Amino acid sequence: GAGNDLAELLESFLDDPKGDALVVIEAGDLAKTGSLRKLFDDHKSAAAIQCYPDSVRDLDDVVRDALRAEGLSITPDALEDTVARLGSDRGVTRREIEKLVLYMHGQKQVSLEDVRAVMGDEAEARSESACDAAGSGDLAKLDRELERLWASDTQPAQVLRSAMSHFQK
């Protein structure tokens, strides 16, 4: 959650680091002209690495390529359902695909039934996590979880339905 307001502090740290530890700073969407981004782009001991969330089109390719590498194909309806269950977090996507590949051992084509048998729904899990944070009053966690939901293009109505169900239980 770092922002431009930390640029001066981080510059003094980069100019005179204490020890030899690797320090990773995570920030949101920073403009190329922003002071923090400029500091990390220009400093000899730092780097700025942009990470873009996966789009639905990207996820189609990620799923197909990962399955093809394991000798698997996927039906169109199964691919559509798989992509609908994934969000923008590439790590979660990879783990879910690995789980599916393991489940498909010895098979050749992934069907809709296979996807539904083994894959979770990231948006649903994040909605639950956001509801837990709201219920416990952890506003920082709630903000993080909602940010992840919006970044993965989860619809607000889906979050509200999930919240209503969560709190009714």
Side-chain angles (χ1 to χ4, degrees):
N4 290 321
D5 57 325
L6 293 177
E8 191 175 315
L9 173 70
L10 291 170
E11 182 174 24
S12 67
F13 173 78
L14 288 169
D15 289 340
D16 185 27
K18 308 297 183 216
D20 60 353
L22 172 67
V23 178
V24 177
I25 309 290
E26 184 178 343
D29 190 17
L30 298 175
K32 286 186 177 191
T33 57
S35 57
L36 186 61
R37 172 72 187 272
K38 199 158 175 37
L39 169 66
F40 276 71
D41 280 340
D42 296 344
H43 201 280
K44 65 179 173 43
S45 300
I49 302 170
Q50 283 186 282
C51 300
Y52 300 99
D54 290 324
S55 69
V56 171
R57 197 180 84 226
D58 295 335
L59 284 173
D60 278 358
D61 293 338
V62 168
V63 171
R64 263 195 231 100
D65 293 346
L67 292 176
R68 189 177 305 123
E70 298 294 330
L72 292 166
S73 62
I74 186 167
T75 64
D77 59 336
L79 178 62
E80 183 180 330
D81 194 63
T82 300
V83 169
R85 292 169 181 271
L86 300 172
S88 61
D89 185 323
R90 182 63 65 99
V92 171
T93 296
R94 290 283 183 209
R95 286 190 302 275
E96 288 297 313
I97 293 171
E98 288 170 3
K99 202 166 48 171
L100 183 60
V101 166
L102 184 61
Y103 178 81
M104 294 302 299
H105 183 72
Q107 304 296 316
K108 292 290 181 197
Q109 186 174 51
V110 178
S111 70
L112 181 60
E113 292 76 28
D114 298 323
V115 170
R116 289 183 176 164
V118 75
M119 288 186 72
D121 187 333
E122 182 190 1
E124 187 176 310
R126 288 207 193 281
S127 291
E128 282 295 313
S129 185
C131 291
D132 287 340
S136 66
D138 187 344
L139 298 181
K141 182 177 179 184
L142 174 61
D143 188 49
R144 280 192 310 274
E145 294 302 326
L146 287 174
E147 190 65 38
R148 289 177 178 152
L149 284 163
W150 306 151
S152 65
D153 292 326
T154 304
Q155 296 300 310
Q158 181 182 355
V159 175
L160 290 173
R161 279 193 300 274
S162 177
M164 287 171 42
S165 173
H166 177 87
F167 290 111
Q168 284 175 345
K169 289 177 191 173

